[in-house]
Amino acid sequence: METTVSEATDTTPTAVRSRKAQKKAQKGSEESASVNEQRSPSMETAVNERHHKLKSDEPVKRSPAEAISERNGAFEEVDDRFTVSIRLQFNAATVGLFLLSFLTRFYRITHPRGVVFDEIHFGKFVSLYLKNTFYFDQHPPLGKLMIAGAAGAVGYSGSFEFPKIGSEYDASVPILALRFVPALCGSLLAPIVYSILRQVKLGQGVSILGGLLIILDNALLTHSRFILMESMLLFFAALGILTVLKFLQADPFSARWWTLGTIASASLTAAVCVKFVGFYSYLLAMYIIGRHVWMELPDRRRSNASILLKVISKSLLILGVSLAVYIGCFYLHFATLYKAGPHDNVMTSAFQASLEGGLASITKGQPLRVQHGSQITLKHTHGRVCWLHSHTHVYPIKYKDGRGSSHQQQVTCYGFKDVNNWWIVKRPNKDSLMVDDEPDYIEHGDVIQLVHGVTSRALNSHDVASPMSPLCQEVSCYIDYNISMPANLLWRVELLNGKESKNKWHAITSQVRLVHVNTTAALKYTGEQLPDWGYNQFEVAADRRQQTIDTIWNVEEHRYTQHKDKKDVLNKLLATEMIPTEPTKLSFWNKFSELQLKMLLHADKLESHMYSSEPHEWPLMDKGIAYWIDGDSNAQVHLLGNLVIWYSATMAFVLYVAFLVFYLIRRRREIYDLEPVEWDRFRLGGEIFLAGYLIHYLPYFFMERTLFLYNYLPALLFKVMLLCFVVDHCQLALRKFVKQSALVIGIFRAIVVAWFAGVLYFFQRYSVLSYGTTALSADDVLELRLKDTWDLIVHKP
């Protein structure tokens, strides 16, 4: 039931069609009716495509006057170019679902008063926001920004360190404020799901059931109560899909059309800005919009120009809003985090030097331009943070696979600052390593040698396979063993951003590729870790495939060699502080592009975790995750879904696919079991939910990183809606194809009621693992363990 609270409309006078136009329209409709009477069954599919133009997902409500006007064939066109319509509606079902969801999410939300699972990470990020301290995370910042905003609004300073899971929050931590935004987003999810189901023409009862299933799923409840990202991700994704469906029903180019398109684009992009996996929801929305355009194409009443104009307008609207939201999110991120922090070394030296109190504040006096005699450290610019390094140890004579090496001095990439990271830039035609009175600056295209500062051996490469990457060449520091292995010590300097420095090699900012002159292979960080003989440092090789980001380096620390004597040079290297000019100023776009690249390269590659799981285990919930346990009892928070909902949704997925295949085969035989409107609704809603589930689930089978059960929650959202859709369609099928349908439908509804009672029972029984407020005995925990793979914790008898 909907109650209109206020509705104010200012319209211009209407323009009525001429009688000639009316007669033409009536004639066209009569011809269309005669064609419909004469069509063969084989034409039905094509006509159905024309009949269905993604009409309103809600029944169109007409006033009596409009109904009379339509029956008389007189259609009025309202010029709404200057119309301002404000409508505020309250729906009893959505309000009720929100209130019920709000109560379940906010019930004793400040318990436990300790760090729960990934709160250890996201809580730290929030604290760093409030201290304006830069941090690095592989996901976009919107979710953390929203939580930080709520916490900052109540005066939280970010003083708590979130040391470990289970650590008690002190009195300065506003637990309610930190957990408020995720809980609010989780509370709004149920009414949004209800509205989506109504948009695809499901009955109100089944739609309410969908909202209740969202409320009664224990996994969704658990993730909505803590400083975690999934509830915000699901909220923005669901809101985006809902507004996309409404957007496609609005009159093109009306104020409502532009407004809904903007909200849809902003919501879907916000999901991406919470976590990159929100992009799957964005893809689903593009599928829905593309499907709508495809279904409009057979309508010959629409000109090619009008269809093309709509497509271009939609594309520009969605793209423009999406870019604005995404870029704006990072603009706020950089504006807030302007101080140096614990994750600075992930970024390039130029980025670090742009932060307050960072690299720039401790490199005062460092010369800018690299020249003959420069002492430098070379940092790997993109990907893993490490520095070009060498030491006195040599490659083993033979590797485990039987291949031989050059037995030359090892060159590696080392992840810590060390005196062995220093190299001296040398012109090949000069013997002295000192800086000349006349500066001899290095430019793009110059050939140089790199002499290791501590061992005085020059960087070398040759036609010997690298230890861990046999397709690449070994890189070493050359030792003259008096054998037939000549020194190949020349490297050409290629500046990738030379235009910014007029082709001069600058410390910090210049990105350089060092190409071996003899073999044209580029100095490369391979990402492979060396065995014990290489002290588990990372391999450096030379690769003829030059155009990769792993061949890019930059000078971080820089000073000039001032002494002739080698001992004096070494003493200077050892005595000088290892923490290396003027603060660099990076534009927002430079920071933005660099951070995007870093986020893509620094994916979480944890090899294993005791609570990790594989995608094939998720639909049947074979494994949960321990989030928190009380130190004084077995009270605990453990991520488990509602088993009844999860298994039923899996069965519904199979059943929908079976229905779809059955109907398609029958229609291929020109047997049409469903009316055109029923078939269109079956395809529209089912395809959206089926595609949503598959788009959010299948990609995880191809991800090479540690996965957890909570990664399944976005797919579960669409699977639950598909379950509701199947329940609704089963009622339709029973009503159409079963004799004594009233009796059978009554039995079916009784089964649904009994099933829902099972949902309620499971939710109530396992809510103790969602709230963690109930002390449990060892026997209680064991009774809750329905599967051997559920790792519920027992640490008290």
Side-chain angles (χ1 to χ4, degrees), residues 41 84 92 97 119 179 187 323 343 410 418 460 483 502 592 712 758 791:
V84 177
L97 288 170
E119 283 190 339
R179 295 173 177 171
S187 302
L323 287 175
H343 302 106
Q410 296 175 16
D418 184 273
N460 174 76
I483 58 176
K502 298 181 179 179
F592 176 77
Y712 187 62
D791 298 325

Side-chain angles (χ1 to χ4, degrees), residues 345-378:
N345 61 0
V346 174
M347 310 305 292
T348 63
S349 302
F351 193 105
Q352 294 178 62
S354 69
L355 297 173
E356 180 183 307
L359 188 64
S361 66
I362 53 179
T363 55
K364 295 177 181 178
Q366 177 172 290
L368 177 64
R369 292 185 60 179
V370 177
Q371 63 168 304
H372 170 80
S374 287
Q375 300 171 12
I376 63 173
T377 62
L378 279 168

Side-chain angles (χ1 to χ4, degrees), residues 451-468:
V451 179
H452 189 238
V454 174
T455 63
S456 297
R457 290 176 177 144
L459 190 70
N460 174 76
S461 187
H462 40 220
D463 191 16
V464 176
S466 190
M468 308 303 294

Side-chain angles (χ1 to χ4, degrees), residues 118-128 156 160 162 178 227:
D118 275 351
E119 283 190 339
I120 191 173
H121 302 299
F122 299 123
K124 284 180 180 178
F125 296 151
V126 169
S127 293
L128 290 171
Y156 177 53
F160 190 74
F162 293 85
L178 287 169
I227 312 173

